[in-house]
Amino acid sequence: MIGPVAVAFGLEAMSLLMSVSALVLACLAHRRSTVVQPLNLRVLLARDMNTLRDHVASLNRILDRAQALCKKGPALNFAKELWDSEGEADRSTVETLVAHLPSNDEQFFRFSEAELEAKLVETHSFSVEVSRLSEKYRDARPGAGRRRGKMG
């Protein structure tokens, strides 16, 4: 027969074993999350950078078309006015954005988690600026407002 002291000791030993197991599992989970979080940020940043590069290339094509339209003569006066007033400044803005983009083969391993987060925010602000410029020149085309259901 097992006495009450033996039962109490057995329960304490089992409780201690479960606590140690929980501690080990918690440490493993924490270690894994500290490895996975920066990896996720790197993947997000690489994806956003690639998307931004595509949008910048598209914006450059739009700017080239706008510049070409302004050279076609008085029939496209709207394009010339827009390009003369803002075109070169906008192209300069795009060139500045491109200068801040890392190379295509950048893997972002040298950045800490905080730096990765800051780069993601910066990439988002660049994307917003590129989208704004793209819309500006798309909307300036003849008939663009009518196709999009706008007056003009």
Side-chain angles (χ1 to χ4, degrees), residues 1 24 33 96 115 128:
M1 174 178 248
V24 168
S33 70
T96 303
E115 290 171 320
V128 168

Side-chain angles (χ1 to χ4, degrees), residues 95 144 148:
E95 289 170 2
R148 294 177 187 214

